[in-house]
Amino acid sequence: MEQPVMALVLGLVAVGTLIWVFWPKKGLLARLGKVRMSSQRVLLEDTLKYLFDCEYKGIACNLNSAAGNLNISADQMAKLMAHLKDMGLVVFEGHNIHLTDTGKSYALRIVRVHRIWERFLADETGVQHMDWHGEADIQEHQLSLEEANRIAARMGNPAFDPHGDPIPSTEGEIPPFSGRPLSSLKEGEVAQIVHIEDEPHYIFEQLSALGLYPGMQVYQLDVQQGKITFAADGNECVLTPLFASAITVQPLPKAEPIQEGYQRLSELQPDETANIVGISSYCRGLQRRRLMDFGIVPGNSITAELRSASGDPVGYRILGTTIAIRKDQANLIFINNIKKEQHEQSA
C-alpha cells in the first residue's frame, strides 16, 4: 500500500516540478529567459550610449574600444554589434562603427532618462553625489521616457545634469559639444569648468574630493610632464594629465586670473567670526535647502564656537542659535572678513 502512495506522491512532485519549470510566462525557464533578455537589452543600450558619447565628442569608436568600455570580450562585442546592425541601429565603415539616425534617436532617449534622473537625485533627494551616476545607470533601463518627462516637467525642465552635461530635449535635440580638457590649458590661461567626467569611478571620486564642480573658475599655474597645477576658488590643486583630462573647461580669455578666493567655513577657528559669502553650487537639493534654513545665506555672520572631541562636526553660532555642521558641508560654504571675537573681561 505504501509503495503506490509513495509513487503517487513522487509523480505529483515530478509533475509539479515540470509545471514550475516549463509553465508559460511564469515558469523558471520563462523567468530566466526574461533575465537573459533584460541583460542583453542593457548591454545593447549601454553600447548605443557609448557610441553616442564617442560621436558627440568626435572620438572614433571600434570593436575593441567599445568592448573595453563595457568590460566584455571583443567576441561578445562583435556579436552585440552584429545584432545592432541587424536592427538597423549601427553601420560599419572600415573598423569604425557609427550610429544610424534610428540608433542615435534610441541613444538620445537613454541619455535623456539618465541625465534627468541624475538631476532629480541631485536636486530633490539626499542621495550622495558619488551615487548619482550608478543609480542613473540602473534607472535609464527601467524608467520609461514618459515617466522621465514628467519628472523633468516637475523640476522645470532642467537643461543640464549635475555634472554639466546637456540634457537632450524631448525632441531629441542637444547642443554641440564644446570645451577642451583642463590638461590642454597653457600656463596663465583662465577657464570655467563645464563638465566633470563621472567615469571611471575612481577618477570622479578624486575630483570630487578636491571640491571641483561645473561653473568653477580655474587658473592654470604650472604644466609639467606628469603634473598639472591649477588654482580653483583660490586653492591650489595638483592632478596628473589623466585626471585633468576628465575635466572639460571653457577658456575665458578676457577674464582676470583668480589669485585669491574666498575662504571656507571649515577654516574658521574657535572664537573667530566671518561673513557668509555663499554656498558652493556643488551643494544641491535637500542639503542646500537645509543649510539655507539654518541661516547659511550671504551676508549673515557666523562664529565657530564648539569643536567636538573628534574635531568633526563643529558647532557654529548663527542668528542666535548654535548648529552642528560637518567638515564636508563646511567645505562647501564660502566666507570672508574673518575676525577674532573679543571677549569682555570681568573687572
Side-chain angles (χ1 to χ4, degrees), residues 181-184 203 207 228 230 239-248:
L182 174 64
S183 55
S184 70
I203 290 182
L207 299 180
I228 293 173
F230 61 97
L239 292 173
T240 65
L242 174 64
F243 281 65
S245 65
I247 303 172
T248 303

Side-chain angles (χ1 to χ4, degrees), residues 62-176:
N62 55 43
L63 280 176
N64 289 329
S65 64
N69 180 266
L70 270 70
N71 198 28
I72 62 176
S73 69
D75 288 342
Q76 287 177 292
M77 180 52 66
K79 292 178 182 178
L80 276 174
M81 288 296 183
H83 189 27
L84 289 172
K85 183 181 178 182
D86 291 341
M87 295 170 68
L89 301 177
V90 302
V91 292
F92 292 83
E93 292 183 6
H95 294 293
N96 293 332
I97 307 161
H98 300 279
L99 292 169
T100 63
D101 289 342
T102 304
K104 182 179 179 181
S105 178
Y106 192 152
L108 280 167
R109 290 201 301 271
I110 302 167
V111 172
R112 176 170 169 79
V113 172
H114 180 104
R115 294 178 181 176
I116 286 173
W117 192 253
E118 282 191 320
R119 182 85 262 175
F120 171 75
L121 293 177
D123 292 356
E124 306 295 332
T125 75
V127 175
Q128 293 297 309
H129 67 275
M130 291 302 301
D131 297 325
W132 296 341
H133 183 71
E135 292 291 330
D137 268 345
I138 296 172
Q139 288 297 326
E140 69 187 25
H141 305 295
Q142 299 179 354
L143 201 66
S144 71
L145 184 60
E146 291 72 23
E147 290 171 322
N149 288 341
R150 286 195 291 270
I151 292 172
R154 289 201 299 269
M155 294 189 294
N157 292 309
F160 294 89
D161 75 4
H163 305 294
D165 284 320
I167 298 174
S169 69
T170 52
E171 294 78 23
E173 298 175 346
I174 190 169

